[in-house]
Amino acid sequence: MIDISRCYYTTIHSQTLSTDGRFLFCGSNFGEIFLFSVERITSCNAADSPPLELDQLPTVPLQTLSVTDRCPIYSLSFHKDFLIVGLNGEICGFQWSSKAGTIGKKAWTVKLPAPPESADMSEVNYMWLNAKDDMLYAGCGDNVLYGVSLEDGKVCREFHGHTDYIHCVSGCVGKLATASEDGSVLLWDSRQKTSYAKIEPHTKPALQRSEFGRWQGTVAMTEDWLVCGGGPRFSLWHLRSLDCTADFDFPDRVHVSGFVDDLIYAGGDCRKFYQYNFNGDVTAEIPTSGSSVYSVALQTEPYRFLSIAGASAQIDVCTNFSYRDIILNTYAKR
């Protein structure tokens, strides 16, 4: 039985897409996962699509899975035949059937090292997957970045350096970046346990926003560039020189960011999702259903698809990356 009253209090903290790009998974503050068909969303958005009955609409979840009542689902990932879920102190893999389009039973669990008594539970705040190496990197509430081998399910590396919990993890070509509540972005070689560089945006007067604090909520990187934001202004950095080359006029705190089509995107405590060019100019403003954006799922192949979620039971979908095409509803009467 669906509790429709939850739609007023739902926050979507995490999203991920299946490897084949056909399915979207969304994790909520109530410990639930909502499954949507990207195929149905994109095909039914076509102008020549026939009208559909309510139970055929792509805005309705194909499946709602209750995973836990102990914590929100802050992070999701997907690898091969498993939906990967980050919980408090553990990472779980749920069997996935692409043929049936359903999430199955829990197949495996990786227990993270117990934090010291003085530390909080090591909730998994963010996961970044290196599919080529079968490595999953988890940024956690105990200030540690864990490298987990998905071949044998073991924690094979711990990256220590932050003094407060990690909000976000990104990676590219053997390099990793982590954004933390301590106000820093640390850069890592995935083969080394210590960071090789540190970026502290709050130390630059042009980026300071004292009313929002020093914390860094998001980071994204390519081979040459890095963007980060949180309390300080959202900013672009050249990785070789570690110089800040641009900052962006995002109006509030920043929680998500990334690169797409030679553009940069950002979302946060604002009812608009922004896209910028590398000079810092706004190229698109997309309205959002919630007051804050906490997660983004994006792909360009096989379907051009961008979903934006946060402090709302609704999820905003863009198939052209410039404006909102459709709104998904996590709770709906069939």
Side-chain angles (χ1 to χ4, degrees):
M1 183 70 178
I2 295 177
D3 183 0
I4 299 298
S5 65
R6 280 195 174 185
C7 69
Y8 300 107
Y9 308 102
T10 295
T11 296
I12 303 300
H13 288 290
S14 55
Q15 299 181 81
T16 194
L17 291 156
S18 59
T19 304
D20 59 12
R22 295 171 53 217
F23 295 93
L24 171 70
F25 308 85
C26 308
S28 81
N29 58 319
F30 291 115
E32 294 177 314
I33 295 175
F34 305 98
L35 168 65
F36 294 91
S37 168
V38 175
E39 281 184 310
R40 292 174 63 188
I41 293 168
T42 54
S43 63
C44 292
N45 191 48
D48 57 351
S49 297
L52 297 172
E53 299 297 330
L54 178 60
D55 62 354
Q56 297 176 311
L57 289 175
T59 57
V60 178
L62 297 176
Q63 181 184 1
T64 299
L65 177 67
S66 181
V67 174
T68 178
D69 57 5
R70 296 183 293 111
C71 63
I73 298 176
Y74 288 121
S75 56
L76 290 172
S77 188
F78 195 97
H79 188 49
K80 295 181 178 177
D81 294 326
F82 296 99
L83 172 65
I84 304 172
V85 183
L87 301 172
N88 278 352
E90 62 184 29
I91 298 170
C92 303
F94 287 78
Q95 190 70 52
W96 168 251
S97 171
S98 58
K99 186 175 181 179
T102 57
I103 307 168
K105 294 181 179 180
K106 186 191 300 184
W108 50 262
T109 299
V110 176
K111 295 286 186 181
L112 298 178
E117 293 183 4
S118 59
D120 294 328
M121 173 65 74
S122 55
E123 72 274 1
V124 182
N125 292 326
Y126 202 95
M127 294 187 294
W128 182 79
L129 172 69
N130 185 344
K132 292 182 179 179
D133 295 340
D134 292 330
M135 284 292 297
L136 184 73
Y137 296 93
C140 296
D142 59 359
N143 316 340
V144 182
L145 173 67
Y146 294 97
V148 179
S149 170
L150 295 179
E151 287 187 347
D152 56 17
K154 294 181 179 179
V155 176
C156 59
R157 183 156 292 150
E158 297 182 19
F159 302 84
H160 294 264
H162 284 296
T163 59
D164 213 329
Y165 55 89
I166 297 172
H167 281 290
C168 187
V169 185
S170 183
C172 183
V173 194
K175 307 297 183 184
L176 300 167
T178 49
S180 170
E181 184 73 11
D182 63 18
S184 72
V185 172
L186 294 183
L187 302 178
W188 314 78
D189 185 315
S190 61
R191 299 164 297 181
Q192 305 295 326
K193 293 184 178 181
T194 56
S195 63
Y196 67 85
K198 178 190 288 189
I199 295 173
E200 294 181 293
H202 68 275
T203 63
K204 291 189 172 293
L207 302 180
Q208 291 174 354
R209 296 192 298 181
S210 58
E211 68 274 24
F212 296 142
R214 58 188 286 176
W215 58 279
Q216 288 295 303
T218 180
V219 63
M221 67 189 304
T222 66
E223 289 189 51
D224 299 316
W225 299 98
L226 177 146
V227 288
C228 59
R233 289 174 65 89
F234 185 49
S235 53
L236 174 68
W237 299 71
H238 187 252
L239 280 174
R240 291 185 182 179
S241 64
L242 293 184
D243 289 332
C244 179
T245 62
D247 61 86
F248 307 92
D249 191 22
F250 191 88
D252 216 301
R253 303 170 182 86
V254 189
H255 298 301
V256 298
S257 63
F259 298 87
V260 61
D261 292 345
D262 296 322
L263 296 172
I264 297 163
Y265 65 80
D269 291 343
C270 175
R271 285 191 172 273
K272 289 184 179 179
F273 182 79
Y274 288 84
Q275 290 184 17
Y276 306 88
N277 61 27
F278 276 64
N279 294 323
D281 303 319
V282 175
T283 61
E285 298 180 23
I286 301 171
T288 59
S289 296
S291 57
S292 296
V293 173
Y294 294 128
S295 72
V296 168
L298 185 150
Q299 66 181 16
T300 56
E301 295 289 342
Y303 306 96
R304 195 167 175 82
F305 184 85
L306 165 67
S307 60
I308 307 163
S312 173
Q314 296 180 315
I315 300 163
D316 304 302
V317 172
C318 311
T319 58
N320 62 1
F321 298 176
S322 296
Y323 60 85
R324 180 173 59 186
D325 297 284
I326 195 169
I327 298 175
L328 309 181
N329 296 287
T330 54
Y331 297 101
K333 293 181 179 179
R334 290 185 179 271

